[in-house]
């Protein structure tokens, strides 16, 4: 089962390495990892997507909560949340395909962010299904290069993940805490 986990961490040297090392040291796979500073520059949010059954997820949450630089760990399973990722895709664009690429980019609410004589670079944001559908449509036209962020996620509504309980271990036995 696929899990999206948000981890608030101290924005310090080596934290990313410790978290990645935790996953690799225990044989847990990271499908994607996005890290960025929060409103508080001393804190960063990591969005980690991983695979595993409930026992593996429980181990991951417990191990993350044990790390000193981890402030809070949230598993989005069972929560109402939004998730988006961004893709930059460079596509072969000639006289025959330019109009079709423009139309598809507009339908998917993307943007053409770079143009050359033979290529368009298109930016698409959205959930995984939207991005997958767009890539499947343009694939026959000739994708030359592709980079993507992996998902970032946030709880819907007025609930927030706060770091006010800095350095608390975020719940008993690795349970999720908002």
């Amino acid at each position: 089962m696929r899990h999206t986990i948000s981890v608030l961490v101290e924005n310090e040297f080596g934290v990313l390495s410790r978290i990645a090392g935790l996953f690799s040291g225990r044989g847990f796979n990271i499908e994607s990892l996005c890290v960025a500073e929060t409103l508080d520059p001393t804190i960063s949010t990591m969005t980690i997507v991983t695979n595993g059954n409930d026992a593996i997820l429980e181990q991951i949450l417990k191990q993350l909560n044990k790390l000193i630089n981890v402030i809070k760990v949230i598993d989005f399973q069972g929560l109402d949340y939004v998730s988006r990722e961004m893709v930059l895709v460079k596509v072969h664009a000639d006289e025959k395909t330019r109009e079709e690429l423009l139309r598809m980019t507009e339908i998917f609410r993307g943007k053409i962010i770079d143009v050359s004589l033979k290529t368009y670079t298109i930016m698409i944001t959205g959930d995984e299904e939207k991005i997958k559908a767009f890539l499947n449509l343009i694939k026959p036209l000739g994708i030359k290069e592709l980079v993507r962020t992996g998902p970032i996620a946030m709880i819907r509504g007025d609930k927030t993940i706060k770091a006010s309980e800095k350095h608390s271990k975020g719940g008993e036995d690795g349970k999720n805490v908002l």
Side-chain angles (χ1 to χ4, degrees), residues 70-138:
V70 171
I71 299 166
K72 194 169 280 189
V73 180
I74 303 293
D75 173 23
F76 285 104
Q77 184 178 9
L79 298 176
D80 191 17
Y81 69 100
V82 292
S83 175
R84 297 290 183 268
E85 65 181 279
M86 183 176 81
V87 173
L88 299 178
V89 57
K90 189 175 292 183
V91 186
H92 178 74
D94 58 21
E95 290 179 20
K96 295 177 185 173
T97 60
R98 284 182 184 265
E99 195 169 313
E100 188 174 353
L101 280 168
L102 283 171
R103 190 171 40 83
M104 284 192 277
T105 301
E106 187 176 308
I107 289 170
F108 281 83
R109 296 183 183 154
K111 290 183 180 177
I112 295 175
I113 59 171
D114 188 52
V115 176
S116 74
L117 291 175
K118 296 181 180 179
T119 63
Y120 279 167
T121 300
I122 302 167
M123 177 183 74
I124 296 285
T125 59
D127 63 21
E128 188 176 349
E129 294 304 315
K130 175 184 173 182
I131 289 172
K132 189 176 177 181
F134 179 75
L135 293 176
N136 284 337
L137 281 174
I138 66 168

Side-chain angles (χ1 to χ4, degrees), residues 115-177:
V115 176
S116 74
L117 291 175
K118 296 181 180 179
T119 63
Y120 279 167
T121 300
I122 302 167
M123 177 183 74
I124 296 285
T125 59
D127 63 21
E128 188 176 349
E129 294 304 315
K130 175 184 173 182
I131 289 172
K132 189 176 177 181
F134 179 75
L135 293 176
N136 284 337
L137 281 174
I138 66 168
K139 195 173 190 176
L141 302 177
I143 295 175
K144 296 177 77 79
E145 186 178 359
L146 180 144
V147 292
R148 58 196 307 171
T149 61
I152 56 171
M154 182 178 275
I155 296 170
R156 287 187 182 270
D158 56 357
K159 288 185 179 177
T160 58
I161 300 171
K162 294 180 182 172
S164 59
E165 301 166 27
K166 195 171 184 177
H167 300 287
S168 72
K169 287 299 175 184
E172 296 177 23
D173 300 325
K175 291 181 182 173
N176 306 327
V177 176

Side-chain angles (χ1 to χ4, degrees), residues 8-116:
L8 288 184
V9 298
E10 294 172 356
N11 188 8
E12 293 180 359
F13 176 79
V15 174
L16 175 61
S17 171
R18 278 184 224 113
I19 290 183
L22 181 152
F23 276 78
S24 67
R26 286 159 180 83
F28 304 139
N29 186 35
I30 296 175
E31 278 189 22
S32 75
L33 172 66
C34 293
V35 184
E37 187 177 288
T38 63
L39 285 173
D40 179 349
T42 66
I43 298 171
S44 292
T45 299
M46 293 184 175
T47 304
I48 302 170
V49 177
T50 187
N51 265 311
N53 59 28
D54 288 342
I56 290 173
L57 178 67
E58 185 179 336
Q59 284 301 310
I60 289 170
L61 297 176
K62 282 182 179 178
Q63 296 299 321
L64 285 171
N65 277 308
K66 286 181 182 177
L67 294 177
I68 291 171
N69 302 105
V70 171
I71 299 166
K72 194 169 280 189
V73 180
I74 303 293
D75 173 23
F76 285 104
Q77 184 178 9
L79 298 176
D80 191 17
Y81 69 100
V82 292
S83 175
R84 297 290 183 268
E85 65 181 279
M86 183 176 81
V87 173
L88 299 178
V89 57
K90 189 175 292 183
V91 186
H92 178 74
D94 58 21
E95 290 179 20
K96 295 177 185 173
T97 60
R98 284 182 184 265
E99 195 169 313
E100 188 174 353
L101 280 168
L102 283 171
R103 190 171 40 83
M104 284 192 277
T105 301
E106 187 176 308
I107 289 170
F108 281 83
R109 296 183 183 154
K111 290 183 180 177
I112 295 175
I113 59 171
D114 188 52
V115 176
S116 74

